Amino acid sequence: MPNHLTISSKKTYACSIPVATRDYIQNHTEDHPDAYIGDINQWKALRDIGTGGVLHADRINLALNYHAQLVFILAKLPPDINLEFSYAHAFASPSSFPVTLRSIAFERASVLFNIAALYSQLAASEDRSSQDGLKRASAYYQNAAGVLAFLSESALPKLGPFVDLENTPSDLTEDFVKSLEWLMLAQAQECVWQHAVADHYKNSLIAKLAAKVSSLYNTSLLSIRLAAADARSALPPNWIPHLETKHHHFNAASQYRKGVDELEASRYGDEIRRLMIAEADAKKAFNIAKRAGVAQAVISDVKSLLDVVQKNLSRAERDNDLIYHQNVPAPCDIPAIQEVSMVQSIIPPGLRDPRSVIGDDSIIFGEMLGWGAREAINIYNDNKKNLLQEKIVEPAQNLNDEADKILQSLNLPSSLEALERPVGLPPSLLRKAEEIRLEQGPTKIDVYLDDVQRLSRHVLGILDEAMDILDSEASEDEAARRETPMDRPPSHEANQELVIKQQRYRTILIQAAESDELVRRKWEEWEDQISELTRDEDELEALVPSSTVSMTGKAVSTSQTQIHARTLRGLLESLDDVRRTRDDLIVRAQRRAESDDIRPKILAAAANLEHKIEMSAVMFEDVSDNEFAKYDKFIQGLTEGRKKQEEILSSIKSTNDAFIQSRKQDPAIKDREQALQFLDLAYSHYREIIRNLDEGLKFYNDMAGILTNFKEACKIWSGARSREARLHRNMASLSIRDRDNASDESHEAPVSTTSPLRTGTRKQTTGIPTLSSADWEVQELAPPPVKRAEKTTKHR
């Protein structure tokens, strides 16, 4: 039986590479999946070759080749393409379930782990009774340590976003992997020590080599004790005792060799103390090994050392008592043995430079645009849309609304039109009335209100259905627990994140309903006045009193009033020019955005980054920033337009004050002004109500899609939980039948009460994504816009 430990390979299972990859290319790229049939088939074939086979050195190159291709695949595809990979724990029992993750990064990490396991198995298979065998074994162990170091620094950090406490593969955690790395280095150093012993190196050097072996085993032991409890429990029962035994064994060997060195230097007291320390450590190692059932080869090694130490200690004490009479120093006075390391974690060159491994073989998906570049294009387009809306369109609308609000407060242009057109209706009012008539304004609003209310009920119903699914699963879970004990969180704990998300959605819908009610009340308040704007011109004109003659029969204006009126009219026309310029600027910005295609520039930048295998969207930020600069002129144009508008509005306010002071306060003019202003205000509220209802319809349509996805996520999650519960019941039923059969065969045989599901009851093993996984993530909406009901004094 060997006296070294080997790393078991992670068993994997078949996966649907062709289906998932074709679907992703079809739905998330501009390419057609048929263009990559050869690449997809090559990936599948490489996986079959690179993850299987018998123990042989040639498998190293096959596995390294598959890993290199995975590196390039991850440069072209995101880790999650809805492709599930399943791997069992490296030291799992046959009855345990595999861990299933939708992550190519998980596949890569598992492949690296298996490469390290393969190196360790090759090392253990070497004949260490020969010098060449020791050299090859040490080299293999150092390669295994290098692969584990590379796994820890390169692959595990990228695995993090796809796992959490619920579905973390315990053999792919930092502490567990580092423990294996230290173990491989310890066994490599042990081979060096064994070579030094066989070649009769100086005892002082052998002692230093042995001290390093002991230290490395102890470091591995400390790392595994820092690992998660489930990681430790999955190890074979004699694994940790083996590390403890080796640690004490080589500390004893180091002290023994140093004791021989002390004897050769005539330091007899120091020799005795070191042999006493060696005896204590050797006894401790022997006791641990015997008690924990460590491999017989290890026990034999320790027993052999203990016998030699005890024999030499008896001889040294006898000689010192009879001849030398040297004092035996205290343990704290003995100098520590300096450690000498002859090993290191050697990372195979093919891991650092994947291209060197692939050689003349074609790189899978080599012609495809990297997903980092595609993500950069998508991010740019999203940011461009947001910039257009937030920096140009919305500020422009706010400036228009601000101008309208100020003009309404000044009763403009109604007061001016009442003076300029003492009879009839102003052309601007006629255009607004015709617009409402053509749109069948009141009918349109009623239809919109009904649609908004219907959609509101619909989306709330979807959310209620999602919660019904979770409630139904909770009832099933409770019933299943009454039948069979299950080692998994109850539903009210497992679905907590889904419930929290549901509460957030419901709060948003409540806010939206409150906004809908404000709009409805505003419509009820202004319905009659807006309806009046749908009348014919003659009927509408009859609603507005004329001001041709004042109550005293005098002219309605003076020459000074006319001067102020002409000035006001000129300022209003200037304001209209500013608004037309602003509207034109928005149109030009929108046309620029429609024709703006950053793809060629991203492709050019990606070509310059070919030497970098992994490309992220961050690498293209400079390109995006340069492209966004083309929109600066539109933002600057808005800023200049705002300054002009503020100057014009300031002039309008002062001129209007003078206009009011110079004008005779004729009741007829005043009544006409109020009537025109009121109709103009009704039109403004009509446009505001329509805009609010358009926003409401868009909000509910978007929300319906989000909640449909959320409902589907609840359905998938609940279905997976139900399948897991059935699987537990079936396994429990099989276990009961097995115990019954065993009882029938031999009533005296003890019946085991240990469930075979000890390591297989974790939620992730049935393929259920965690609640924090991206599987459940859908687009979040901001709370709906609040429609404020403005209190407006009605003048009739």
Side-chain angles (χ1 to χ4, degrees):
M1 185 177 291
N3 61 356
H4 280 182
L5 296 175
T6 59
I7 304 174
S8 301
S9 299
K10 292 172 65 65
K11 181 182 178 181
T12 187
Y13 301 83
C15 59
S16 56
I17 290 177
V19 175
T21 308
R22 286 181 61 89
D23 288 346
Y24 179 83
I25 295 174
Q26 179 76 42
N27 299 323
H28 296 88
T29 73
E30 298 177 356
D31 301 320
H32 195 280
D34 288 347
Y36 298 99
I37 291 178
D39 300 83
I40 295 173
N41 292 335
Q42 183 184 358
W43 183 4
K44 184 178 184 301
L46 278 177
R47 185 177 197 273
D48 294 339
I49 298 173
T51 58
V54 297
L55 179 62
H56 194 277
D58 290 342
R59 277 188 57 202
I60 292 290
N61 293 332
L62 295 175
L64 288 174
N65 182 59
Y66 181 48
H67 170 265
Q69 291 287 10
L70 282 176
V71 172
F72 287 106
I73 289 172
L74 282 166
K76 302 297 183 177
L77 302 175
D80 184 2
I81 60 169
N82 201 29
L83 173 58
E84 292 186 339
F85 295 96
S86 297
Y87 279 89
H89 191 288
F91 301 97
S93 63
S95 62
S96 64
F97 295 112
V99 174
T100 300
L101 295 177
R102 287 179 4 193
S103 169
I104 304 175
F106 175 52
E107 168 83 342
R108 181 193 171 211
S110 299
V111 168
L112 282 171
F113 186 96
N114 282 348
I115 293 174
L118 182 55
Y119 272 120
S120 79
Q121 294 162 19
L122 289 172
S125 68
E126 290 291 339
D127 179 11
R128 287 185 283 120
S129 63
S130 67
Q131 297 297 322
D132 290 340
L134 282 172
K135 291 179 181 178
R136 286 193 297 270
S138 180
Y140 280 140
Y141 280 134
Q142 291 178 75
N143 283 141
V147 175
L148 290 167
F150 185 77
L151 167 63
S152 180
E153 74 181 39
S154 176
L156 293 188
K158 295 170 184 175
L159 185 62
F162 302 93
V163 298
D164 56 21
L165 294 177
E166 290 183 355
N167 65 355
T168 300
S170 58
D171 53 355
L172 291 178
T173 57
E174 180 73 16
D175 291 326
F176 191 88
V177 171
K178 293 304 291 185
S179 174
L180 296 181
E181 179 187 351
W182 293 118
L183 171 61
M184 295 298 102
L185 289 175
Q187 295 182 161
Q189 179 82 3
E190 185 177 343
C191 291
V192 175
W193 168 84
Q194 188 176 346
H195 183 280
V197 172
D199 280 3
H200 305 291
Y201 283 24
K202 290 182 179 180
N203 287 296
S204 59
L205 177 58
I206 295 176
K208 294 176 181 179
L209 294 173
K212 187 61 179 179
V213 176
S214 175
S215 174
L216 288 169
Y217 274 116
N218 189 49
T219 305
S220 176
L221 180 63
L222 294 176
S223 294
I224 198 61
R225 284 173 173 166
L226 291 174
D230 57 345
R232 296 194 304 272
S233 63
L235 288 170
N238 64 342
W239 189 279
I240 292 179
H242 177 97
L243 299 180
E244 292 176 325
T245 300
K246 286 285 190 175
H247 163 57
H248 291 296
H249 175 195
F250 279 94
N251 194 47
S254 174
Q255 294 291 347
Y256 165 70
R257 287 289 178 170
K258 186 61 177 174
V260 176
D261 182 61
E262 303 284 15
L263 173 62
E264 294 171 349
S266 301
R267 293 186 290 269
Y268 306 109
D270 289 355
E271 176 202 10
I272 293 173
R273 175 53 65 191
R274 291 195 183 277
L275 289 174
M276 292 172 68
I277 296 173
E279 181 188 35
D281 269 309
K283 285 182 177 179
K284 189 177 295 184
F286 183 74
N287 291 334
I288 293 173
K290 289 288 288 184
R291 184 174 62 251
V294 174
Q296 186 59 44
V298 177
I299 297 176
S300 298
D301 290 344
V302 175
K303 184 65 170 64
S304 176
L305 175 63
L306 179 59
D307 291 342
V308 171
V309 169
Q310 288 177 335
K311 179 180 178 181
N312 277 271
L313 179 59
S314 297
R315 186 264 313 153
E317 289 179 332
R318 182 179 63 251
D319 290 350
N320 191 55
D321 290 341
L322 296 176
I323 304 172
Y324 308 118
H325 304 293
Q326 289 188 5
N327 292 328
V328 178
C332 59
D333 294 330
I334 292 293
I337 300 175
Q338 181 182 359
E339 299 174 2
V340 172
S341 176
M342 299 298 292
V343 297
Q344 60 180 329
S345 298
I346 300 176
I347 299 176
L351 297 183
R352 294 288 192 195
D353 182 14
R355 291 183 187 274
S356 66
V357 178
I358 296 176
D360 296 331
D361 294 345
S362 60
I363 297 175
I364 295 179
F365 304 125
E367 300 300 319
M368 182 185 293
L369 180 64
W371 77 274
R374 289 199 305 274
E375 190 68 14
I377 293 173
N378 293 334
I379 290 174
Y380 176 81
N381 289 332
D382 290 340
N383 289 340
K384 177 180 65 177
K385 180 180 178 181
N386 293 336
L387 181 143
L388 189 67
Q389 186 67 24
E390 297 174 3
K391 299 293 186 180
I392 299 176
V393 176
E394 289 183 359
Q397 182 62 48
N398 291 337
L399 288 173
N400 290 339
D401 292 343
E402 180 184 352
D404 290 340
K405 185 176 180 180
I406 292 175
L407 292 180
Q408 288 175 6
S409 67
L410 299 177
N411 196 18
L412 291 173
S414 300
S415 61
L416 199 58
E417 290 172 342
L419 181 67
E420 294 173 341
R421 293 181 63 89
V423 294
L425 296 175
S428 61
L429 182 60
L430 291 175
R431 287 194 299 270
K432 294 173 182 177
E434 183 179 9
E435 178 183 336
I436 296 178
R437 282 198 301 272
L438 292 177
E439 293 181 0
Q440 297 181 342
T443 302
K444 181 178 181 180
I445 291 177
D446 286 333
V447 171
Y448 273 25
L449 285 170
D450 292 341
D451 289 344
V452 167
Q453 188 173 15
R454 175 178 54 80
L455 284 173
S456 175
R457 290 194 299 267
H458 175 64
V459 296
L460 189 58
I462 296 175
L463 189 58
D464 290 337
E465 290 171 5
M467 292 310 298
D468 290 341
I469 292 172
L470 295 183
D471 291 341
S472 176
E473 189 279 327
S475 299
E476 292 178 5
D477 180 71
E478 186 176 348
R481 287 178 184 279
R482 287 196 294 267
E483 295 179 15
T484 307
M486 289 186 289
D487 183 18
R488 68 172 189 176
S491 294
H492 71 274
E493 294 180 4
N495 65 13
Q496 187 175 10
E497 293 187 36
L498 288 173
V499 173
I500 291 174
K501 183 169 287 189
Q502 173 270 151
Q503 292 171 346
R504 187 163 69 248
Y505 288 146
R506 195 172 295 276
T507 300
I508 291 175
L509 291 179
I510 291 173
Q511 294 173 352
E514 293 173 353
S515 297
D516 296 341
E517 182 59 27
L518 289 176
V519 175
R520 181 175 293 277
R521 287 204 298 267
K522 186 185 296 183
W523 167 238
E524 291 173 352
E525 180 182 358
W526 286 90
E527 180 179 5
D528 293 340
Q529 291 70 39
I530 293 174
S531 298
E532 288 179 352
L533 286 172
T534 62
R535 297 187 180 192
D536 294 336
E537 183 177 345
D538 293 340
E539 295 177 345
L540 193 60
E541 185 175 346
L543 296 175
V544 180
S546 63
S547 59
T548 53
V549 181
S550 68
M551 295 179 64
T552 60
K554 296 183 180 180
V556 297
S557 63
T558 65
S559 59
Q560 192 65 32
T561 301
Q562 293 292 347
I563 293 173
H564 291 310
R566 284 194 296 270
T567 304
L568 271 177
R569 177 56 64 187
L571 290 171
L572 290 174
E573 290 175 354
S574 298
L575 183 61
D576 289 340
D577 290 340
V578 170
R579 297 180 67 157
R580 279 192 295 271
T581 302
R582 186 159 52 234
D583 293 342
D584 179 66
L585 183 144
I586 294 174
V587 171
R588 288 190 292 114
Q590 290 171 335
R591 288 175 180 170
R592 170 57 66 87
E594 291 172 359
S595 62
D596 185 9
D597 184 9
I598 198 176
R599 184 180 177 85
K601 291 183 173 60
I602 292 291
L603 290 176
N608 294 331
L609 294 172
E610 274 297 320
H611 62 285
K612 292 184 179 292
I613 296 175
E614 297 185 21
M615 296 184 191
S616 63
V618 177
M619 297 180 179
F620 301 95
E621 283 187 349
D622 292 342
V623 179
S624 298
D625 291 342
N626 291 336
E627 289 300 296
F628 279 129
K630 68 179 67 169
Y631 295 94
D632 290 344
K633 62 181 181 181
F634 299 111
I635 298 174
Q636 181 63 29
L638 278 180
T639 302
E640 295 173 357
R642 184 182 68 249
K643 292 179 181 178
K644 291 182 180 179
Q645 177 171 298
E646 290 173 352
E647 294 174 357
I648 294 172
L649 288 174
S650 177
S651 299
I652 287 176
K653 290 178 182 178
S654 58
T655 304
N656 187 65
D657 290 341
F659 172 71
I660 293 174
Q661 291 298 324
S662 64
R663 190 182 56 184
K664 294 181 179 179
Q665 296 300 313
D666 193 312
I669 294 178
K670 187 173 182 181
D671 290 343
R672 180 173 175 81
E673 286 178 1
Q674 291 177 344
L676 291 174
Q677 181 188 21
F678 194 69
L679 291 174
D680 194 63
L681 196 59
Y683 172 80
S684 296
H685 282 292
Y686 168 75
R687 295 308 324 164
E688 183 181 359
I689 292 171
I690 290 294
R691 185 167 65 248
N692 290 339
L693 291 174
D694 282 334
E695 292 173 353
L697 290 173
K698 182 179 183 304
F699 168 79
Y700 283 119
N701 282 319
D702 291 343
M703 201 66 181
I706 290 175
L707 293 181
T708 299
N709 290 338
F710 176 72
K711 173 185 171 183
E712 187 63 23
C714 293
K715 186 182 299 183
I716 294 172
W717 182 85
S718 298
R721 287 267 297 183
S722 298
R723 289 193 297 273
E724 186 184 36
R726 287 196 298 272
L727 185 59
H728 276 88
R729 288 196 296 269
N730 293 339
M731 294 295 290
S733 176
L734 289 174
S735 179
I736 292 172
R737 285 202 295 270
D738 290 343
R739 290 200 299 270
D740 291 342
N741 292 337
S743 176
D744 292 339
E745 293 174 2
S746 175
H747 294 289
E748 296 180 0
V751 179
S752 172
T753 59
T754 302
S755 171
L757 298 176
R758 181 181 63 83
T759 60
T761 55
R762 297 167 60 199
K763 292 187 289 299
Q764 74 274 18
T765 56
T766 58
I768 307 177
T770 63
L771 294 184
S772 59
S773 168
D775 298 347
W776 311 126
E777 290 301 323
V778 292
Q779 178 186 1
E780 297 288 357
L781 282 183
V786 178
K787 295 95 177 182
R788 293 181 294 274
E790 298 181 3
K791 295 183 179 180
T792 308
T793 305
K794 297 184 181 181
H795 303 284
R796 295 296 292 173

